[in-house]
Amino acid sequence: MLIPDIQALADRLRAEIGKVIIGQKDTVDLLLTALFSGGHVLLEGPPGTAKTLLARVFCQSLSLKFGRIQFTPDMLPGDVLGSNLFNFQTSAFSLTKGPIFCDLLLADEINRTPPKTQAALLEAMQERSVTLDGVKHDLGPHFTVIATQNPIEQQGTYPLPEAQLDRFLFKHVLGYPSLEEEKRIVDTAGNAAATDPVLAGVSAVLSAASLAEAIQVVSTVKLNDANLNYIVALIRATREAPQLSVGASPRAGALLARAARARAVLDGRDYVLPDDIKALYPACMRHRVLLSPSAEIEGENVDRVLQGLLERIEIPR
C-alpha cells in the first residue's frame, strides 16, 4: 500500500461518514488520524452534539468487530471484561467474554461510571489485552477505544483517572454546529436514516488487513531531528509552565510523533512538517495537563496555556 492509497481510503471513509454526519470535519479528520496511528480517542461535548452517532457511523464504515458499552453508575468491572462462570454440565469454569472483546469499542458516556469500572479499561488500552483470573487474553492489534463523555460539570458524572486519560491519544471537544449545519440537522430530523447508519447505507470500506498495511506505511514516515526536538521541547514546556501543576509524560511525546506521521500521510506526504505537530498538539495534550490552583483562580484554561506554549517555542526552519 502506498500513501495515495491511504488518502483514497480516507476519502472513502469521509464519504461514508458524510451520509449521516453533517459537519464535524475536524472531528472526522482527528478520528482518521487516530485510526491510522493506532490511538484511542475521547470525544467530549454537551448532550445532543452527535458524539455517539459519529462514533457509531465511524465504526460502521470499518470492517472490524464492533462492541459497545453504555456506561452507567451501577456497572461493575465484570460487566466490561466478562468472567469465568462454572458450567454444571461440564463441571468446569468457562469464560463468558464481555463486550470489550472486540476490535473497535464504543465506550459511551464513559464518565457515567465510577473510577473502579473505568479502570477495567486500563490494561486493554495500553497493552491490548485483559487478564481474568490470572489468564491473559489478547484483544488483537487493532483494539481501539472511542469514548464519549459529557463535560464533568454535568450532574451524575465521575472524572476519569489521570492514568486512564493519559492512554487516550486525543481528547477532542465538540462544539455546536454552524447556523447552516444546524438548519440541515433540524430539517432532516424526521428521517430515520439521519440517525441510523444502516438505513443511511453506510458500508464498510476498510478491512483489518488494509488497516494493518496503512499503519505500517505510517510508521515509515520520516521525522527529522529538528521536528523531533520540537516535539520534545513542546512536551517539556508543559512541565515548566507556571500555569500548569502537572505536565505531559514522555508517552505524550511518543504518541504525538506517531499521530504527526499519520497526519502527514493523510496530507499526501512521507515526511512530517511542524504544522502537523502544531495542529495536533492541543488535542494530544489538553487531557494530560492540569492547571495550577492560581491559574484556575485567574480564570485561565488549558487550551489558552497550550496555545501560549506553541507561540513561545521556536518552530523548526
Side-chain angles (χ1 to χ4, degrees):
M1 181 178 290
L2 302 175
I3 288 178
D5 300 324
I6 299 175
Q7 283 186 289
L9 273 174
D11 288 340
R12 291 175 63 192
L13 287 169
R14 291 187 185 98
E16 293 299 319
I17 294 168
K19 292 179 180 178
V20 177
I21 300 299
I22 297 172
Q24 300 289 7
K25 179 183 180 299
D26 291 343
T27 309
V28 172
D29 286 346
L30 212 58
L31 285 172
L32 290 173
T33 302
L35 177 69
F36 291 120
S37 56
H40 310 291
V41 181
L42 176 62
L43 302 177
E44 181 181 281
T49 50
K51 300 182 300 296
T52 302
L53 179 60
L54 175 58
R56 284 175 54 209
V57 175
F58 185 73
C59 295
Q60 184 74 28
S61 66
L62 306 172
S63 294
L64 300 175
K65 185 180 179 183
F66 173 55
R68 177 175 177 175
I69 303 174
Q70 186 69 48
F71 283 97
T72 57
D74 60 348
M75 185 171 282
L76 298 173
D79 298 324
V80 176
L81 303 177
S83 59
N84 285 306
L85 301 178
F86 188 76
N87 188 325
F88 287 95
Q89 293 179 334
T90 61
S91 297
F93 284 93
S94 60
L95 174 62
T96 300
K97 294 182 177 180
I100 200 172
F101 284 85
C102 62
D103 293 317
L104 204 58
L105 178 67
L106 169 55
D108 203 16
E109 296 198 355
I110 191 172
N111 61 334
R112 291 285 177 195
T113 201
K116 178 180 179 180
T117 304
Q118 293 172 8
L121 292 172
L122 286 174
E123 180 186 357
M125 293 176 67
Q126 180 62 28
E127 302 176 28
R128 289 181 164 85
S129 64
V130 296
T131 303
L132 291 169
D133 294 338
V135 179
K136 189 172 183 178
H137 302 273
D138 186 41
L139 297 176
H142 303 306
F143 176 75
T144 302
V145 175
I146 299 177
T148 70
Q149 70 170 16
N150 294 328
I152 60 174
E153 291 80 14
Q154 300 286 329
Q155 291 184 349
T157 61
Y158 301 83
L160 269 67
E162 283 75 11
Q164 183 168 5
L165 284 171
D166 197 44
R167 283 161 169 77
F168 284 101
L169 171 59
F170 295 133
K171 176 184 176 182
H172 182 62
V173 180
L174 283 78
Y176 290 108
S178 67
L179 175 61
E180 291 303 318
E181 289 169 350
E182 191 159 4
K183 287 164 70 174
R184 288 175 58 199
I185 292 169
V186 174
D187 186 47
T188 58
N191 185 355
T195 56
D196 191 326
V198 177
L199 291 178
V202 176
S203 57
V205 298
L206 181 64
S207 66
S210 296
L211 178 58
E213 287 185 53
I215 292 175
Q216 178 59 35
V217 171
V218 167
S219 68
T220 64
V221 171
K222 293 185 282 291
L223 178 69
N224 63 25
D225 288 344
N227 285 318
L228 176 61
N229 293 336
Y230 184 48
I231 290 174
V232 173
L234 287 171
I235 299 301
R236 295 179 69 86
T238 64
R239 303 174 204 155
E240 300 164 359
Q243 305 97 319
L244 300 176
S245 60
V246 176
S249 68
R251 178 193 288 146
L255 292 178
L256 178 56
R258 191 193 306 172
R261 287 184 169 99
R263 189 178 188 274
V265 168
L266 291 174
D267 201 35
R269 288 177 277 107
D270 65 350
Y271 55 90
V272 172
L273 292 176
D275 286 347
D276 298 318
I277 300 165
K278 290 177 63 178
L280 299 175
Y281 184 68
C284 197
M285 294 300 135
R286 63 167 56 100
H287 54 298
R288 306 176 193 277
V289 299
L290 293 176
L291 285 174
S292 65
S294 59
E296 289 187 4
I297 292 173
E298 294 171 1
E300 192 61 87
N301 69 47
V302 166
D303 282 354
R304 278 202 300 268
V305 173
L306 293 174
Q307 187 59 42
L309 295 179
L310 280 174
E311 294 171 358
R312 182 168 63 83
I313 303 298
E314 185 178 357
I315 302 171
R317 298 298 178 189

